[in-house]
Each structure stands twice: as structure tokens, then as C-alpha cells.
Amino acid sequence: MPNLPTLRTIAMFVTLLWLSLSLGTAPLSAAPNHMRASLLAEGPVEPGGTVTLALLMQPETGWHGYWSNPGDAGYGLTLDWSLPDGASAGPMQFPVPQTLLIQGLMNHVYEHDYAVLVPLTVPADARPGTLLPIRVKAQWLVCTEAICVPERAELSGAVTIGSGAKDARFEGWRAAMPAPLDRNGTFAFGPKVLRLALPFPASAPLDAPHLFLSTERLADYAAPQRFFRNGDTLVVEVPLGKSPASPAKVEGVLAMGRDAGGIAFATVPGAVPEGGDEVGGAAFTASALALALIGAFLGGLVLNIMPCVFPILSLKALALARGNSHNAKAEGLAYTGGVVLACLALGGVMLALRAGGEQVGWAFQLQEPGVVAVLLLLAVAITANFAGLFELPGLSIERGAGSSGAFGTGLLAAFVATPCTGPFMAAAMGAALVLPWWAALGVFAALGLGLALPFLLLGFIPALRRLLPKPGAWMDRFRRIMAVPMALTVLALGWLAWRLGGETFAAAAVALSAAFIVVLAFAGRGQRQGHAVARWVAPATLVLAAIAFVGAPRLATASVAESSGLLAAKPFSEAALAEARKSGKPVFAYFTADWCLSCKVNESTSIERESTRAAFEKAGVVVLVGDWTRRDPAITKFLTAQGAAGVPLYLWYPAGGDARQLPQVLTPDMLAGLPNS
């Protein structure tokens, strides 16, 4: 049986033979391609500016295309541009590839639709309003596991000179690109192995990594690779190929596995540390799971003091204190079951979406206008209940709720408590993204158990119930007082609807809320007169909720323009971070969302402060802000790379130093002291 180098030689010979035959003898009326290629421009461009072009490659089912370095066999994409004078095309930018091992040969491929991006700079003297023609001859190899076919296409198009709307698909294609590492790593040659040291945060998850080298004639692509964590450095060992080259620089892409994206790196000769903890194919250990469970449990416990959860918990506790809950243990278990089920459902949906390739994180539901509109109706109902407009059985002090009402209240409490990651939760939710699915669901269940624990303890320990205040007329006044934080929640959700979907969407959401208040007012009058109102209130509620979830989002428009704030923060992007790091200045990057209470508190108390502004201005700090209010695949991918499943996230990059992740709860003077630390 031939050895591996012989197989590679045969494969490359056959590939080159096919290509030479294709280029020399292909007829003008060729058979349809198995890979459809399209040339697209992101949008108009000003004279002298740069616009991004995309070569959208769409292989048929069962076929695949190749990365820039195809691996042991294959052939990458080549482009021959025909452009007007003064226009120039930059290098091709490929998304993170995947591996395909066939008969011992490692291939770097794409088995799905993918876009290769190319920057195009237009002439400075181009006239606004005109069309700039572009043409390109593209050649590529497309294969199945059995055959390969060389293909080509002549693509043409035009770029509008001026301004206008951009193609929204480009944001998703950019998110598929590897994030550029902000500084060089090092490499060294060992006995039959290439060793690389890459800057990589110790807290960042890494699941089934693979190193793709764009530097060719160096590695044995099919041989097993080894990865070691050494503090904030990732050490990679790649077996050398036969007669390896001696490059001055080694470049490539680190794929982080499980649709977590990748990092584009460059390394220069230098020292590579020894030792470290080896990374397996799956980032799972008993200790990692235990820490994630503890963090999720404590984080759920903290969520009980959130302003939208505390009133619900308080009224449930007072119902027990009044003695209207005849079976406190059963209600405690039912409430806990509702909370845990809601957390499992939200976590399961998030994991399923991520497994399907979606870039989502914790509290992803609040990035959808329809969900926010439904939450607004829900908050209105709870506020109206607390204010005495009508009575929601699950939150009744007078009559209690029973087990079914306690279960529904648990569902409600969990759903409204999950917008933000609080203390202890960040690492736990980040770990859930890389744990096996069953372990990740255990983390979400622990979050629910922590959230439900106070009421569960009240149900099972009579001594705790006796510590609650004695029943009396004050309880009704307390219930009405609890309407205030819920009313503030209603205002916050109305503001969020405006921020998320614009004025028209917010007006529609408010109009639906007003209609819902009318429905609840009639329901309350019927309750006080002793009538059964559930048979018409429930259908009316479902109709309004359906309109809010399906109809109102159609009115949503682009988000409201951002203000730079006191720190004059610039919008975050991987490119902006890399540019700021290269300038040699310190960088503060923070990630926030309008629906995140913790984020807004930190911004008010610690970020948007005059003392912070003065300290940052004196030190020349570059401030970047990543707004995650709406779904943003690029920001989601960056958060995942930092080991965070949601916001807030705060990163401090000292000049010339490594990134430092700050606590999720900031103190007023913490940021002002960073430049001197």
C-alpha cells in the first residue's frame, strides 16, 4: 500500500492535470457548474473610498470548495480582475474553514454556502451617480468524496459611486471571518514538530480546536495536533511534514470548534513556553462542571433582588404568611418546577440555535422586538394586578394560588429575571456554551434552582414563615407599593421598544398595552361583581399577545442612532480594536445592551463619570463600546471568544500588555484608577 507522501503526490498530480485540461481545452458551452458563484457589492461607495465585494460560493449538496490552503489535496480559488484605471482589488478574505479527512488526506474545505470577501478601492476621480464596471475571471476546484471537477466563471457587475443602503448579508459574512489577533505570537521548531505560542485568554472557552496553517509546505496536515493552555497563552504543537520549509513568519487560523468561529494569527520566531494543561477534544471536566453549577446557582440567587422579580417573590411570600396557602410545600415545589422549567427552556432554545449555526447568547430573546412587545404586555398585567385594577390568581394575597398558580408564577418569575448576567453568572453561562448539552442543561437548571430557593425554603421551613410580618391591612398597601417598581419596568420596556424598533414600533406596543389595560379593567370589574371572566379575558389576551409578537415587529425599523456619551466611545469592531491596539494606547472596551439593568447601573455609576473621563483623557485611553441591544453576530462571536455568554463584559487593554477582564459589578472609582495600575 502506498505511503502518505505518495498519496499526496498522486492527488496533487491528478488535480494539476485536471486544471491544465480545463484551462486548455474547456469548450465555451460547458456543463453547469456544481458550485454556483456570484459577484456582489456591499453597496455604493464614495469617490476614492473602499467597498467590500463578495464572491458568494454555493456548492451543490455533497460537494465542497476549498480554503486558501486546500490541505493535502485540492486547489483554492483564484481571481483575475479586470478593473477601470485607478481601481484596485485587495487580497481575498476567507471564512473559517472546516476539516475533511478522506483516505488519510486532510482537506481544508467548505461544505456549505460561503462568501469570500475582497476590498475594492475605487478611483478618487470617480463621478458620483455613475456606475463603475467590474469583471473577474474566477477558477476553483469543487469535489465530492469521490470525484473533483475544475470549474470557472466570468463574473461581472457594477458599483454605484455615491451613497445609499448596504446589503445586510455582508454583516453575517463578516461574522464568519476569523477575528484578527491584535499582536503576533511566536513559533519554534522542535523535534519533528512545529510549536506555536498564541495570545489567548485563559477564561476563553476552547472546544475541539484545530489549527489551519496558511503557510504551506510546512506541516503534516492529517497528523493529530496538540493544544496546551499556559495562562493567557495557547501552545500548539503541529507535526512537521516531509522536508518542511523554513519560513520567516507562520500564519493561519485557529478554529475554536462548535461553530465558535476562529482567530487569524501571525507568528514570528521566538520562545515558546513549555508545559500547560492539555486541551482535549471537548472542554469538559468534573471540576469545570462543578464550578459552572455553583456559579449558576449563586447567580440565580442574586436574581431575586432584581426589581422585576422581587415584587413577585414578595407577594408570594406574603400569601404564605397570611396562611392562604394550605399546602406550602406543594406550592414551593410547584413554583420551583416552573422556574427550573423556564430556565431549561430558554437555555435549551439557545443551545439549539447555536448548534444550528446562529450566533446567540444569554438573554437572546430580548433582542427580538416581538418578545419585547409581549414582555411589555406581561409587565402591564403584573403592574395592574399590584395596583388593584384586577386580580391575577397566581399573585393573590387574599386567596393564594394553589399549586397550578405557583407553577405559573415560577414560569413568569424566571422569564422576566433573565435579561442580564449578574455576579457569578458570567463564567457559568460561558461554560455552558462549551459543555456537553446534558451538562449545559444542568447549569441552566442550577440557575433556576438558585432563583427559586427563597420561596422553596419558605414552603418547607415553617420557622421562616413565622419570621415574616403578621398579616394585616398593611399588606394591601404593600402590594400597591410594589406596583411602583413594576411600573418602572413597564417604562423601561417601552423605552427599550423605542430603542429596539423605533418610534412606530414603540407607539404600536404602547397602543396594544393601552388596549390590554382596558381589557384588564373590565376583567377587574367583573371579578368584583362575582362574574366568571376567564372565558373571555383569556382569548382577548391571546389575541393581543399574538398581535404583539407577530404583527408589531413588522413596524420595527433600524435602531436609534447612538450617542458617544461622556467618554466619546467609538463603536466596537474587531478591526477597530486591532487598530487601537496598534496605536500603542490603552484601550477600554465595554459591551452593553439597553435591556441590561446591570449594564445601565454600571454606566451610570462608574463609566459615564467625570472622574473616569478625566483619567482616560489624561492617559489617552481609546474607548470602544459594543452595543448588543439588537442581535449582532460579530459581537456574539467576540463575547464567546472571551468566555462570556452575555453582557455586561468589560475589558481593559494596557498599552502593550495583555487583556484584563474586569468584574461585572464596577465600583465608582475603579475605571479612573486603571491607567495607573
Side-chain angles (χ1 to χ4, degrees):
M1 181 174 180
N3 59 25
L4 187 57
T6 302
L7 287 173
R8 290 181 187 151
T9 303
I10 294 172
M12 291 305 298
F13 173 77
V14 173
T15 298
L16 293 173
L17 178 60
W18 274 331
L19 286 172
S20 64
L21 291 174
S22 169
L23 297 178
T25 63
L28 292 177
S29 55
N33 285 340
H34 298 286
M35 176 96 77
R36 180 184 177 186
S38 306
L39 178 62
L40 305 168
E42 184 172 13
V45 60
E46 297 291 343
T50 300
V51 64
T52 301
L53 305 179
L55 273 296
L56 178 59
M57 312 298 289
Q58 298 172 292
E60 294 179 354
T61 302
W63 294 77
H64 58 261
Y66 287 90
W67 188 50
S68 57
N69 178 359
D72 286 325
Y75 191 85
L77 176 67
T78 62
L79 302 177
D80 182 14
W81 293 96
S82 296
L83 303 172
D85 292 340
S88 61
M92 291 183 287
Q93 302 168 17
F94 287 81
V96 178
Q98 60 192 97
T99 59
L100 179 63
L101 191 64
I102 303 176
Q103 297 182 356
L105 299 178
M106 177 61 74
N107 299 266
H108 305 155
V109 303
Y110 304 100
E111 296 182 291
H112 50 74
D113 294 358
Y114 63 100
V116 178
L117 304 185
V118 178
L120 174 72
T121 302
V122 303
D125 58 356
R127 289 184 299 169
T130 61
L131 296 177
L132 188 76
I134 52 175
R135 294 175 60 86
V136 64
K137 295 179 181 179
Q139 301 174 6
W140 63 87
L141 189 70
V142 60
C143 300
T144 67
E145 293 192 10
I147 62 171
C148 289
V149 178
E151 295 181 347
R152 62 181 178 178
E154 294 190 11
L155 308 173
S156 61
V159 175
T160 302
I161 305 300
S163 59
K166 294 185 177 182
D167 190 334
R169 291 176 294 177
F170 276 73
E171 287 303 314
W173 294 334
R174 283 196 183 92
M177 299 291 156
L181 202 60
D182 59 358
R183 59 193 182 280
N184 288 338
T186 58
F187 75 89
F189 290 99
K192 298 183 179 181
V193 70
L194 170 69
R195 305 185 69 247
L196 305 97
L198 305 178
F200 194 80
S203 60
L206 192 63
D207 178 34
H210 187 85
L211 200 74
F212 294 90
L213 292 176
S214 55
T215 304
E216 299 187 17
R217 300 186 302 277
L218 185 60
D220 182 349
Y221 300 120
Q225 302 175 349
R226 301 182 70 186
F227 298 82
F228 302 87
R229 285 186 180 271
N230 191 321
D232 287 325
T233 299
L234 180 69
V235 178
V236 187
E237 293 185 354
V238 181
L240 292 171
K242 187 177 181 180
S243 302
S246 299
K249 179 182 287 188
V250 175
E251 298 177 312
V253 168
L254 171 67
M256 294 185 289
R258 280 186 57 176
D259 299 315
I263 296 173
F265 66 86
T267 59
V268 296
V272 177
E274 299 285 346
D277 298 325
E278 186 164 7
V279 178
F284 171 72
T285 63
S287 60
L289 176 58
L291 290 175
L293 291 173
I294 293 172
F297 176 79
L298 294 175
L301 200 58
V302 172
L303 288 178
N304 282 285
I305 62 174
M306 290 289 185
C308 47
V309 177
F310 182 72
I312 298 174
L313 178 64
S314 300
L315 292 194
K316 291 299 297 177
L318 291 178
L320 290 179
R322 197 177 182 99
N324 290 327
S325 296
H326 303 292
N327 194 337
K329 292 182 179 180
E331 286 202 24
L333 289 173
Y335 177 85
T336 301
V339 172
V340 172
L341 180 62
C343 290
L344 284 172
L346 288 171
V349 171
M350 184 186 76
L351 293 175
L353 290 173
R354 291 182 66 87
E358 294 289 333
Q359 292 287 345
V360 296
W362 188 243
F364 67 94
Q365 68 273 17
L366 292 176
Q367 296 173 326
E368 302 298 332
V371 174
V372 172
V374 172
L375 269 177
L376 180 59
L377 294 182
L378 186 59
V380 165
I382 298 173
T383 304
N385 173 83
F386 287 173
L389 186 65
F390 86 114
E391 188 174 89
L392 186 66
L395 295 177
S396 172
I397 297 180
E398 297 296 329
R399 291 190 294 273
S403 296
S404 60
F407 179 80
T409 307
L411 291 173
L412 172 67
F415 190 64
V416 301
T418 54
C420 287
T421 54
F424 308 109
M425 282 181 61
M429 295 296 101
L433 301 183
V434 298
L435 290 171
W437 67 268
W438 56 268
L441 290 179
V443 172
F444 295 120
L447 174 69
L449 184 60
L451 179 58
L453 183 64
F455 189 73
L456 183 64
L457 292 178
L458 284 172
F460 272 79
I461 304 177
L464 289 179
R465 295 199 297 275
R466 288 193 292 269
L467 294 177
L468 295 173
K470 299 297 181 182
W474 67 270
M475 298 178 76
D476 186 63
R477 292 194 298 271
F478 179 79
R479 185 186 72 170
R480 294 178 187 275
I481 291 173
M482 287 295 99
V484 175
M486 286 308 306
L488 293 176
T489 301
V490 170
L491 292 177
L493 286 169
W495 174 78
L496 176 59
W498 168 65
R499 298 285 294 170
L500 195 60
E503 295 179 357
T504 305
F505 169 69
V510 170
L512 287 171
S513 299
F516 195 29
I517 290 175
V518 173
V519 171
L520 296 178
F522 277 103
R525 187 172 68 175
Q527 287 175 332
R528 288 186 289 273
Q529 293 174 352
H531 301 315
V533 298
R535 58 188 174 186
W536 66 267
V537 171
T541 300
L542 289 175
V543 169
L544 288 173
I547 295 173
F549 186 73
V550 179
R554 298 178 184 273
L555 303 176
T557 57
S559 56
V560 181
E562 285 289 338
S563 170
S564 61
L566 189 63
L567 300 185
K570 301 176 182 177
F572 172 86
S573 68
E574 298 276 4
L577 177 60
E579 182 179 352
R581 294 281 286 152
K582 288 179 182 177
S583 70
K585 298 178 180 178
V587 180
F588 174 62
Y590 69 99
F591 299 83
T592 181
D594 288 337
W595 37 260
C596 174
L597 178 64
S598 303
C599 304
K600 295 306 168 187
V601 170
N602 282 333
E603 288 162 30
S604 175
T605 62
S606 306
I607 297 177
E608 295 293 330
R609 287 174 59 88
E610 182 59 35
S611 59
T612 303
R613 185 202 64 77
F616 279 14
E617 187 176 88
K618 181 179 179 181
V621 177
V622 178
V623 181
L624 302 175
V625 56
D627 188 348
W628 207 46
T629 302
R630 279 179 173 250
R631 187 179 298 186
D632 188 317
I635 290 180
T636 305
K637 184 175 73 171
F638 184 84
L639 291 173
T640 302
Q642 302 302 315
V647 291
L649 174 67
Y650 305 106
L651 297 174
W652 171 254
Y653 297 84
D658 294 332
R660 172 185 163 195
Q661 192 169 133
L662 304 180
Q664 287 191 310
V665 178
L666 303 178
T667 58
D669 298 322
M670 179 184 293
L671 298 183
L674 286 176
N676 299 320
S677 62

